[in-house]
Amino acid sequence: MAGLKYDKVRFMVSPGSTVRITLENVDEMMHNMLIVKPETRVSVVKAAETMGERGVEHDFIPKSSNVLESTPLLGPGGQASILFKVPDKETVYPYVCTYPAHGMVMYGAIYATRSPDDLPPLDEDPNIPEQVRNQMAASMSLHPYPRDMPTLTRLFMPESSPAAIAVGMEKEQSYNWDAGYSFLRYVWDGGYIDVANQWDGKAHEVAKIKGDIYYRNTTGFPFRVSHQDSVPQHEFQGYRMIDGYPRFKYDMGDITVSELILPAQTTPGFRIEYVLENVDQPIWYALSDNDEIRVEVSKGTIEGDMVKLTPDQAQEFTISIISEE
């Protein structure tokens, strides 16, 4: 967070879930964050403005039933978290900074929804600040990357071999899959890529990520065959599009792996659906070391930093990775 804006102007949650939201003030001014009831942002901001001199000692949080959760005022370098129990109703919950003169420009929206495809495009979203909508509209007109998701682009990506594949998913999630090494490199939240230079005769340039990386592969090729120290030789065999998403295929010896990466229901987060053919030995799957990440497996058992699967379990399983920041 810097200037009169939050670094994320909207995000999605599942109705009935509980989410932790951490606010870190990297600005030179004081800020807070209030989550308020639908369509009450302006009234809460006006109530905070009437607090006058006594506002600071109360963190400019007005006494109002419209305020659902809040952080205190944070000075430069300050940090605070909110645990928000999302009601079961599908709706939009605004969040806002109520420090004087901030509330009319510094706000965002929590979409509690079971239908993420129904979100409006960022440049048309009435629940985020107008200046952000205008910036998005200008960016889209200047940088011709695809707006419709999912989408796929083969180009040079940071921290990757020349065979990188960028995939923009729904729910503002994107990832980089390295076909040169047959594994996922990293996943980010908040946008896709700025590839304007790809249309300017500079195809050798490295693309810029639009958003924040929250997951990095720290283990390399994740599979082990027979025992947890045995990394198999592997070879990329291409991909096939499934409803707009690539299903990657690669061999590791006699075993054929199909890998499909999709956004998780709770974001930021994603899931990897694996199908393995010709498995007759135990399979180990190495988990990467990332802070504030929750890992869930559909089959097998987690033993330390590995998932152990029997040959039967390894034929079809899912790894889900959810950011808890």
Side-chain angles (χ1 to χ4, degrees):
M1 176 181 65
L4 296 181
K5 61 181 181 180
Y6 295 107
D7 63 340
K8 297 187 188 304
V9 293
R10 74 178 187 184
F11 58 93
M12 291 173 288
V13 297
S14 298
S17 64
T18 299
V19 295
R20 180 186 294 274
I21 303 167
T22 299
L23 180 70
E24 181 180 2
N25 188 359
V26 297
D27 194 28
E28 297 178 353
M29 296 180 284
M30 299 189 74
H31 298 291
N32 64 10
M33 181 178 181
L34 280 62
I35 301 176
V36 302
K37 291 182 179 178
E39 301 181 358
T40 66
R41 175 182 60 84
V42 173
S43 63
V44 169
V45 168
K46 290 182 177 179
E49 290 175 348
T50 65
M51 298 176 73
E53 295 181 356
R54 62 186 178 89
V56 173
E57 61 185 279
H58 296 286
D59 296 302
F60 283 101
I61 302 171
K63 291 184 178 180
S64 170
S65 61
N66 291 325
V67 178
L68 300 176
E69 297 290 346
S70 62
T71 72
L73 276 176
L74 301 176
Q79 181 174 302
S81 294
I82 293 173
L83 270 179
F84 179 38
K85 178 64 174 69
V86 185
D88 290 330
K89 181 180 180 181
E90 290 189 283
T91 188
V92 180
Y93 295 96
Y95 52 93
V96 62
C97 175
T98 53
Y99 191 80
H102 292 192
M104 292 303 178
V105 293
M106 187 173 177
Y107 59 92
I110 301 173
Y111 279 82
T113 179
R114 299 180 182 89
S115 304
D117 293 342
D118 293 341
L119 263 67
L122 272 169
D123 59 325
E124 300 175 7
D125 191 340
N127 296 303
I128 66 175
E130 181 179 3
Q131 70 269 27
V132 176
R133 297 198 303 270
N134 292 341
Q135 289 169 3
M136 288 301 302
S139 175
M140 288 174 178
S141 65
L142 293 173
H143 307 304
Y145 60 81
R147 292 179 56 183
D148 295 331
M149 298 296 169
T151 191
L152 179 150
T153 309
R154 302 200 66 160
L155 74 174
F156 290 103
M157 291 289 290
E159 305 170 37
S160 299
S161 78
I165 300 174
V167 179
M169 301 187 287
E170 296 155 302
K171 300 186 178 183
E172 298 180 38
Q173 305 286 289
S174 301
Y175 67 86
N176 173 15
W177 206 87
D178 196 331
Y181 293 91
S182 297
F183 59 75
L184 175 70
R185 284 282 184 180
Y186 46 80
V187 183
W188 67 95
D189 171 62
Y192 188 41
I193 49 177
D194 181 350
V195 292
N197 50 26
Q198 303 296 311
W199 284 268
D200 291 338
K202 301 178 181 179
H204 62 281
E205 298 278 347
V206 176
K208 295 180 180 179
I209 292 169
K210 306 284 282 185
D212 299 310
I213 294 174
Y214 65 88
Y215 172 84
R216 290 182 185 275
N217 182 335
T218 61
T219 63
F221 190 73
F223 283 104
R224 314 287 186 263
V225 178
S226 183
H227 56 86
Q228 55 186 314
D229 296 323
S230 177
V231 181
Q233 294 292 321
H234 44 277
E235 184 175 358
F236 181 57
Q237 299 295 337
Y239 59 86
R240 177 184 177 189
M241 302 304 291
I242 307 294
D243 295 327
Y245 288 96
R247 175 175 285 166
F248 302 105
K249 185 176 181 179
Y250 47 95
D251 293 334
M252 47 185 194
D254 294 331
I255 300 172
T256 298
V257 182
S258 294
E259 176 177 333
L260 178 64
I261 303 173
L262 301 168
Q265 182 154 358
T266 300
T267 55
F270 63 98
R271 69 182 192 272
I272 312 177
E273 298 180 357
Y274 287 108
V275 176
L276 276 61
E277 300 174 19
N278 303 320
V279 185
D280 58 5
Q281 301 179 71
I283 295 293
W284 297 80
Y285 186 95
L287 299 173
S288 292
D289 183 16
N290 285 261
D291 293 332
E292 304 294 335
I293 289 293
R294 183 176 80 253
V295 178
E296 300 172 356
V297 297
S298 64
K299 296 177 183 176
T301 56
I302 297 178
E303 298 183 10
D305 58 357
M306 293 274 189
V307 180
K308 183 179 181 181
L309 302 116
T310 67
D312 285 341
Q313 291 171 332
Q315 291 181 29
E316 187 172 347
F317 68 99
T318 299
I319 304 285
S320 296
I321 297 173
I322 309 297
S323 172
E324 293 189 322
E325 288 191 45

